Amino acid sequence: MTEIKKEVEIVLTEVLSYTPKGSGEMKEAISVILTPPSLKQLKHTTVLKQSFFQAISSMADDKASSDDSGLAPEMAGSDVIAMIFMSDVNVTAMFDSAKELFKSGVAKLDGTQDFNDIILNKLSVEDFENMVGEYLVNFILASTLKKMNSSK
Protein backbone atom coordinates (compact mmCIF):
# COMPACT_ATOMS: atom_id res chain seq x y z
CA MET A 1 0.00 0.00 0.00
CA THR A 2 2.97 2.38 0.29
CA GLU A 3 3.15 2.93 -3.46
CA ILE A 4 1.36 6.11 -4.44
CA LYS A 5 -0.43 5.56 -7.72
CA LYS A 6 -0.84 8.15 -10.46
CA GLU A 7 -4.50 7.22 -10.84
CA VAL A 8 -7.03 4.63 -9.72
CA GLU A 9 -10.02 3.45 -11.73
CA ILE A 10 -13.20 2.68 -9.80
CA VAL A 11 -15.78 0.64 -11.71
CA LEU A 12 -19.24 1.87 -10.77
CA THR A 13 -21.78 -0.66 -9.50
CA GLU A 14 -24.50 1.41 -11.15
CA VAL A 15 -24.16 3.09 -14.55
CA LEU A 16 -24.40 6.86 -14.18
CA SER A 17 -26.10 8.91 -16.88
CA TYR A 18 -24.89 12.46 -17.42
CA THR A 19 -24.77 15.18 -20.04
CA PRO A 20 -21.25 16.46 -20.73
CA LYS A 21 -20.96 20.24 -20.58
CA GLY A 22 -21.74 21.77 -23.96
CA SER A 23 -22.74 18.53 -25.68
CA GLY A 24 -26.46 18.24 -24.99
CA GLU A 25 -26.07 14.50 -25.53
CA MET A 26 -26.65 11.99 -22.72
CA LYS A 27 -23.78 9.62 -21.90
CA GLU A 28 -23.45 6.69 -19.54
CA ALA A 29 -20.40 6.45 -17.30
CA ILE A 30 -19.18 3.08 -16.06
CA SER A 31 -16.12 4.19 -14.12
CA VAL A 32 -14.46 7.00 -12.20
CA ILE A 33 -10.79 7.87 -12.44
CA LEU A 34 -9.31 9.19 -9.19
CA THR A 35 -6.04 11.14 -9.15
CA PRO A 36 -3.77 12.21 -6.27
CA PRO A 37 -4.38 15.47 -4.45
CA SER A 38 -2.30 18.60 -4.70
CA LEU A 39 -1.99 21.49 -2.28
CA LYS A 40 -5.25 22.81 -3.77
CA GLN A 41 -7.07 19.95 -2.00
CA LEU A 42 -5.25 20.22 1.37
CA LYS A 43 -8.34 21.35 3.30
CA HIS A 44 -10.33 18.30 2.20
CA THR A 45 -7.55 15.71 2.37
CA THR A 46 -6.71 16.84 5.91
CA VAL A 47 -10.27 16.07 7.03
CA LEU A 48 -10.07 12.60 5.43
CA LYS A 49 -6.67 11.85 6.96
CA GLN A 50 -7.74 13.09 10.38
CA SER A 51 -10.93 11.00 10.22
CA PHE A 52 -8.94 7.88 9.39
CA PHE A 53 -6.44 8.36 12.21
CA GLN A 54 -9.22 9.22 14.65
CA ALA A 55 -10.87 5.91 13.71
CA ILE A 56 -7.58 4.03 14.20
CA SER A 57 -7.13 5.68 17.57
CA SER A 58 -10.64 4.88 18.76
CA MET A 59 -10.29 1.26 17.58
CA ALA A 60 -6.94 0.96 19.42
CA ASP A 61 -8.60 2.36 22.57
CA ASP A 62 -11.24 -0.36 22.25
CA LYS A 63 -8.53 -3.04 22.10
CA ALA A 64 -6.76 -3.10 25.46
CA SER A 65 -3.72 -4.86 24.01
CA SER A 66 -3.22 -3.65 20.48
CA ASP A 67 0.38 -4.07 19.40
CA ASP A 68 -0.01 -2.84 15.82
CA SER A 69 -1.14 0.42 14.31
CA GLY A 70 -4.18 -1.16 12.66
CA LEU A 71 -2.72 -0.38 9.26
CA ALA A 72 -2.74 -3.62 7.32
CA PRO A 73 -0.26 -3.68 4.44
CA GLU A 74 -3.06 -4.19 1.92
CA MET A 75 -6.31 -2.67 3.12
CA ALA A 76 -9.24 -2.33 0.77
CA GLY A 77 -11.26 0.86 0.62
CA SER A 78 -14.30 -1.00 1.97
CA ASP A 79 -12.25 -2.07 5.03
CA VAL A 80 -11.29 1.52 5.73
CA ILE A 81 -14.89 2.74 5.42
CA ALA A 82 -16.15 -0.08 7.69
CA MET A 83 -13.52 0.81 10.29
CA ILE A 84 -14.50 4.49 10.16
CA PHE A 85 -18.19 3.62 10.55
CA MET A 86 -17.34 1.53 13.64
CA SER A 87 -15.54 4.47 15.23
CA ASP A 88 -16.74 7.73 16.74
CA VAL A 89 -15.68 9.74 13.67
CA ASN A 90 -18.17 12.30 12.37
CA VAL A 91 -18.77 10.44 9.11
CA THR A 92 -21.13 13.08 7.77
CA ALA A 93 -18.43 15.77 7.99
CA MET A 94 -15.91 13.41 6.41
CA PHE A 95 -18.28 12.62 3.52
CA ASP A 96 -19.05 16.33 3.03
CA SER A 97 -15.33 16.98 2.71
CA ALA A 98 -14.97 14.03 0.30
CA LYS A 99 -17.73 15.49 -1.90
CA GLU A 100 -15.88 18.80 -2.11
CA LEU A 101 -12.63 16.95 -2.80
CA PHE A 102 -14.18 15.04 -5.70
CA LYS A 103 -15.59 18.28 -7.17
CA SER A 104 -12.13 19.90 -6.99
CA GLY A 105 -10.80 17.94 -9.96
CA VAL A 106 -9.45 14.67 -8.50
CA ALA A 107 -12.40 12.58 -9.76
CA LYS A 108 -13.56 12.27 -13.37
CA LEU A 109 -16.35 10.18 -14.86
CA ASP A 110 -14.81 7.82 -17.42
CA GLY A 111 -11.65 9.89 -17.02
CA THR A 112 -13.04 12.97 -18.78
CA GLN A 113 -16.02 14.58 -17.03
CA ASP A 114 -15.42 16.60 -13.84
CA PHE A 115 -17.73 16.00 -10.91
CA ASN A 116 -20.29 18.59 -9.83
CA ASP A 117 -23.25 18.53 -7.44
CA ILE A 118 -25.62 17.11 -10.06
CA ILE A 119 -23.31 14.18 -10.86
CA LEU A 120 -22.48 13.54 -7.19
CA ASN A 121 -26.17 13.42 -6.28
CA LYS A 122 -26.74 10.72 -8.94
CA LEU A 123 -24.06 8.41 -7.47
CA SER A 124 -25.25 5.42 -5.48
CA VAL A 125 -24.26 5.40 -1.80
CA GLU A 126 -22.26 2.23 -2.43
CA ASP A 127 -20.26 3.83 -5.26
CA PHE A 128 -19.63 7.00 -3.24
CA GLU A 129 -18.44 5.07 -0.17
CA ASN A 130 -16.21 2.94 -2.42
CA MET A 131 -14.70 6.07 -3.98
CA VAL A 132 -13.96 7.58 -0.57
CA GLY A 133 -12.44 4.35 0.75
CA GLU A 134 -10.27 3.81 -2.32
CA TYR A 135 -9.16 7.44 -2.29
CA LEU A 136 -8.09 7.09 1.32
CA VAL A 137 -6.20 3.84 0.69
CA ASN A 138 -4.51 4.76 -2.56
CA PHE A 139 -3.58 8.39 -1.98
CA ILE A 140 -3.97 9.63 1.60
CA LEU A 141 -2.81 6.53 3.49
CA ALA A 142 -0.26 5.46 0.91
CA SER A 143 1.43 8.84 1.29
CA THR A 144 1.36 8.65 5.10
CA LEU A 145 2.71 5.09 5.21
CA LYS A 146 5.46 5.95 2.75
CA LYS A 147 6.56 8.78 5.06
CA MET A 148 6.34 6.52 8.14
CA ASN A 149 8.39 3.77 6.47
CA SER A 150 11.07 6.15 5.24
CA SER A 151 11.56 7.59 8.74
CA LYS A 152 12.40 4.17 10.24
Side-chain angles (χ1 to χ4, degrees):
M1 174 171 33
T2 57
E3 176 192 342
I4 302 172
K5 299 176 180 175
K6 294 189 187 311
E7 66 179 30
V8 173
E9 181 177 19
I10 306 294
V11 177
L12 299 171
T13 60
E14 295 181 24
V15 173
L16 196 144
S17 297
Y18 70 101
T19 305
K21 189 175 182 175
S23 88
E25 189 176 310
M26 188 71 89
K27 286 191 167 190
E28 291 189 339
I30 58 169
S31 69
V32 173
I33 301 294
L34 301 175
T35 56
S38 68
L39 191 57
K40 175 183 174 183
Q41 289 90 14
L42 181 64
K43 176 181 174 183
H44 307 301
T45 57
T46 300
V47 172
L48 295 180
K49 185 184 286 189
Q50 186 175 35
S51 296
F52 175 78
F53 283 105
Q54 183 181 351
I56 288 282
S57 175
S58 92
M59 304 267 313
D61 291 346
D62 291 344
K63 295 179 188 175
S65 61
S66 177
D67 56 359
D68 66 75
S69 66
L71 300 173
E74 292 297 327
M75 290 182 83
S78 57
D79 297 330
V80 171
I81 293 298
M83 180 184 62
I84 290 171
F85 270 118
M86 291 186 287
S87 74
D88 58 357
V89 167
N90 181 342
V91 179
T92 303
M94 185 191 77
F95 281 163
D96 285 345
S97 205
K99 286 178 185 177
E100 294 305 313
L101 173 67
F102 295 149
K103 291 190 303 185
S104 75
V106 301
K108 295 189 184 293
L109 282 175
D110 288 336
T112 59
Q113 175 68 41
D114 286 330
F115 271 70
N116 57 34
D117 285 323
I118 294 168
I119 291 171
L120 271 169
N121 290 335
K122 289 181 178 183
L123 271 178
S124 71
V125 171
E126 181 181 356
D127 284 331
F128 177 72
E129 288 177 1
N130 188 35
M131 286 172 59
V132 174
E134 291 300 325
Y135 202 87
L136 274 162
V137 167
N138 289 288
F139 301 118
I140 309 296
L141 303 181
S143 172
T144 302
L145 289 178
K146 185 175 184 179
K147 289 175 195 165
M148 289 169 63
N149 289 337
S150 68
S151 67
K152 287 183 182 179

